[in-house]
Structure formats: C-alpha cells, structure tokens
Amino acid sequence: SDTNTLHVAILPSSGMGHLVPAVRLAASLAARNCRITFITTHPTVSLAESRLVSRLVSFFPNVTRQEFHLLPLDRSTANSNDPFCLQFETIRRSAHLLSPILSSCSPPLSALVTDPSLVSAVIPITEKLRLANYNLFIASPKMLSLLIYFPTIANTDLSTTSSKTTDYIEIPGIPPLPKSWLPPPLVDPSSLFRTQFIANGQEIVKSDGILVNAFDSLDKATVAALNGGKVMGRLPPVITVGPFVPLEFEKGSPVEWLDRQPVGSVVYVCFGNRTAASREQIRELGDGLERSGCRFLWVVKEKKVDREDEEEVGEIVGHGFLERVKEKGLVVKSWVEQGEVLAHPAVGLFLSHCGWNSITEAALYGVPILGWPQGGDQKINGEVIPKSGLGIWVETWGWEEIVKGEEIGDKIREMMGDEKLKVQAARIGEEARKSVGVGGSSYKGLEGLVEKMRK
Ligand code: BUP
C-alpha cells in the first residue's frame, strides 16, 4: 500500500528522558512519509515537555497532537514521591481511555509505539483493538535485559551484603550485574516504581518489537544476547535505531559564549532534567570546576521539576564564585539545547549523570564522558561508558556522601589532558554517525520497522 497511508500513534511517558526519544522517533517516521498521531497528556509535568511537543507539531504537517486527558490519581494508592513516576501511574490508570482515541484515528492506525513505563497498561488495549504494539525502550540494552528478567528474580534477596558471591544478580546471557547498580526503588518491596517495573517486564515480551536507542559501539553484545534468545526465549525482535539525532526544531537560542572558547577547551556539566543536587554538593562541584582550571558550561538544577526551580543562579552557586570564574565559566539555570552544546567544537568533556539520552548524544558527537551516576537506571546505563571507551565513571562517587571539590577538579584536569581518550571518543562518534547514515545499521533498522508496520 501507499506509504502515505501508514499512520502510527506514539504515546510517550512523562519526563524529557522519555519524551525526547519519542519526539526524535516521530520525526524520523514523519520524514519517511508516515502520518503520526502524537498522544500527549495534559498537563505535562515540566515546562520543557510542553515546549518540545509544540515545536514538533509545528515543524511537521504530518504530525498531529492528540490530547489525552487523565483521570485524577488517588495518591493514597500510589507509593512514590517522584512526580514523574506518579505521572506514569496516572497515565497507566487512565489507559482504558485510550481505546476511543486510537480507534477513531483516521486513516486507521497501523501501530502504536509506547514507552516501557506504560507497556503493561497499554498492551491489553492494543490487543483488543488488534493493533500492533511497539515499544520504544528509552534506556540501555542492559537495562532492557534487567526489565525483561526482573520478574523472575524480584522475590529473591536483592540487598547488597558484604559477601562477594551474593552481591551480583545473574541474568542469562550477560555478565553478572552488581546489586548495588540496581535502581534503588527496585529493592524496596512497596515502591510504586517496582510494582510498575515488574508488570512492564512481564508484558513487554508481548509487544511486536522493541526499539532501542543504541548502536554497535553501545553494547552490541547485550543486543545480540537478547536477539539470540539467551536472556529469555521468544522475545520480540530488538531493533537498534540509535543514536537518535537531535533535530533542527529542538534548537533554541545557541549558547554564543561557546563560539568564543578554544576548540576542546570546555567542560560541559549537566545532570539531566530530573536530577536535583544538594546545595552543598553544588558548591563542591563549583569548587572542583574552579580548581580544574578549565573552562566550563554548567547547567545547575536544585529542584526536580523546572517549574519549581526559582532561586537565582548566584544564590545557588555563590555570588563570589560567579565573580571569580566569570572569565572561564558560564553557569545557567535554564534549559540549554544539549545536542547543540555537545556538537560544538569547543566542548571537550561532558560531566554527566548518565541518563541514557545524554550518553547517546555524547557518543554521537564523540565527546568523552566523566560519568557520575546518581540513581534510577543511571549506573546500569553508565556501564557502557568505560566499556565502550567513551570515558570513565568514578565508582566511588555517590550522591549521599559529598564528593569534594579537590577530587572533582583532579579528575576533570586528568581527563581533559587525555589524548588517547579523545581519539577513542571521536572514533565512537564516527561509528555512531555511520550507523544512522544511509545504509547504516540503525538506518536499516528504521527502514525495516516501517516495512514491518506496513504489513
Ligand atoms: Br537538563 C537538559 N537540555 O538543559 P537523559 C536536558 N536536555 O537538552 P533524564 C537538554 O534532555 P533520568 C538541558 O539532551 C536529553 O535529551 C538532553 O535525558 C535533554 O536524562 C534529555 O539524559 C535528558 O536520559 O534523567 O531523563 O533527564 O536519567 O533521571 O531519566
């Protein structure tokens, strides 16, 4: 049939880490002449989310936004303090309201692409409508193995002990994973995140395909284990389509300050859109940047949700600090277009919380990473950094105990001077661009997906 009639609905979950890849997938499909219905909840948790969706739909005439009105959530039945996780639950509990939206789409839908945090709530709906269901997995291939295998081990002892042999979990087909890397809520039997994770892990295997924002340099072995039936038999195909490329319409006002800095001289510091640091750790980080003697661009966040971050930058990092570093550093509180920053030749190192999108964006532009994972899936994602050669992760750095400025400064200076690392990262960037370029593995993955959806 005609490519124009291929109509796909995309339902992302909340938070930029979920929305950004969904938007980039929508753009890739729209550029292949598919029609896209982009289902978004109202209201979104953060301002950044609503801005991005508006840009997507105004850029592509074949992408339409469909508002999904959610039922109010009874907080007494949802054990979580995380606004994004609570929003996952709100969407999940409203999922039955999707049926009329999906069945009234015209021309009729060929598939729904949804998010791993919503899959178990959405599968019964798409099954009933006999609609193909694809999952856009938003984290690393390792994290996908964990999601799929977790229901099997959920009731075993997941706590870390002093005895070395029991400190790992064994997932067939992949090397043992330290229990200390598990997202902390997975170890808490009463957490909402854990309940959702188990249900999603059980159901994701029923989807028609799982898309991963990865490519060969970012954990080819795990993708092979998944597709080879080693992690679990009879899985849907795992299709690598990454790294997603930041799009023209995501661009905001460029950080002009970067244009005035020498090539490779700037450390870019950003811990993602939902990681808040304590004031004390922020001050130590500032001290570290100053001690490193390097130039830096630092996105500071003190609150999880952007709407609540009201304090002045100077109040957060210290007015004296800002004055001392004004020749060398730029500290911002507002959103910067990270894709543009990482693509800028002035940037030589990325100090990152290891959100999966951030890792893949650094890989795309060949920027070395100094990883500082906090919680969630960040340690399991971060594993690819040393493994691929993209950078390092100082395993002793946590977020409960304050890491001192001196240590941070030393590490930054060491990495900024590491020529071998720069070469390795640049090579990964080349491979990334080859994967998404015409004829590359991820390019073919997307072409194959469109073919499959059309059948
Ligand atoms: Br903050 C920030 N500009 O200023 P991750 C983030 N981003 O473009 P997550 C900006 O948001 P968790 C900013 O490029 C990436 O695409 C960034 O996704 C973009 O981490 C996205 O890296 C952030 O997966 O945290 O979702 O913020 O790991 O806790 O889910």
Side-chain angles (χ1 to χ4, degrees), residues 1-59:
S1 65
D2 185 54
T3 32
N4 290 318
T5 61
L6 184 63
H7 186 183
V8 177
I10 300 183
L11 171 68
S13 195
S14 73
M16 288 302 270
H18 295 257
L19 183 64
V20 167
V23 161
R24 292 178 185 163
L25 176 70
S28 295
L29 295 176
R32 287 174 166 81
N33 274 329
C34 300
R35 219 189 139 120
I36 306 292
T37 292
F38 202 81
I39 306 174
T40 50
T41 57
H42 188 80
T44 56
V45 178
S46 65
L47 292 172
E49 293 172 87
S50 50
R51 261 195 315 255
L52 182 58
V53 176
S54 307
R55 287 196 191 158
L56 170 74
V57 295
S58 58
F59 198 82

Side-chain angles (χ1 to χ4, degrees), residues 109 117 292 393 447:
L109 292 172
S117 68
S292 76
W393 154 22
E447 297 279 298

Side-chain angles (χ1 to χ4, degrees), residues 19 60 81 95 133 143 198 224 262-264 266 306 321 335 358 378 401 419 426:
L19 183 64
F60 287 101
N81 291 323
N133 184 313
M143 199 57 206
I198 294 172
V263 171
V266 174
D306 54 8
F321 170 78
W335 188 261
S358 293
Q378 296 155 12
E401 270 171 58
E419 294 304 321

Side-chain angles (χ1 to χ4, degrees), residues 15-18 20 24 138 268 270-275 299 301 334-339 353-359 361 377-378 381:
M16 288 302 270
H18 295 257
V20 167
R24 292 178 185 163
I138 44 100
Y268 168 59
C270 181
F271 297 113
N273 87 105
R274 37 177 283 182
T275 300
V299 183
K301 269 179 69 70
S334 56
W335 188 261
V336 294
E337 247 30 82
Q338 184 166 295
H353 75 310
C354 305
W356 186 246
N357 294 293
S358 293
I359 293 174
E361 288 159 9
D377 55 6
Q378 296 155 12
N381 292 339

Side-chain angles (χ1 to χ4, degrees), residues 16 20-21 24 213 215 218 243-246 250 268 337-340 342-343 350 355-367 369 390 429 432-433:
M16 288 302 270
V20 167
R24 292 178 185 163
N213 182 13
F215 65 110
L218 299 186
F244 285 128
V245 180
E250 292 178 42
Y268 168 59
E337 247 30 82
Q338 184 166 295
E340 259 182 298
L342 289 169
F350 182 14
W356 186 246
N357 294 293
S358 293
I359 293 174
T360 59
E361 288 159 9
L364 177 65
Y365 297 115
V367 178
I369 299 181
L390 190 56
R433 294 188 293 275

Side-chain angles (χ1 to χ4, degrees), residues 384-400:
V384 303
I385 298 170
K387 233 187 191 153
S388 63
L390 190 56
I392 62 159
W393 154 22
V394 192
E395 288 202 38
T396 52
W397 291 6
W399 286 76
E400 267 97 64

Side-chain angles (χ1 to χ4, degrees), residues 141 144-145 148 221-232 235-236 238:
L144 174 58
S145 321
I148 288 169
T222 299
V223 174
L226 286 160
N227 279 329
K230 301 223 171 80
V231 176
M232 191 172 280
L235 287 182
V238 175

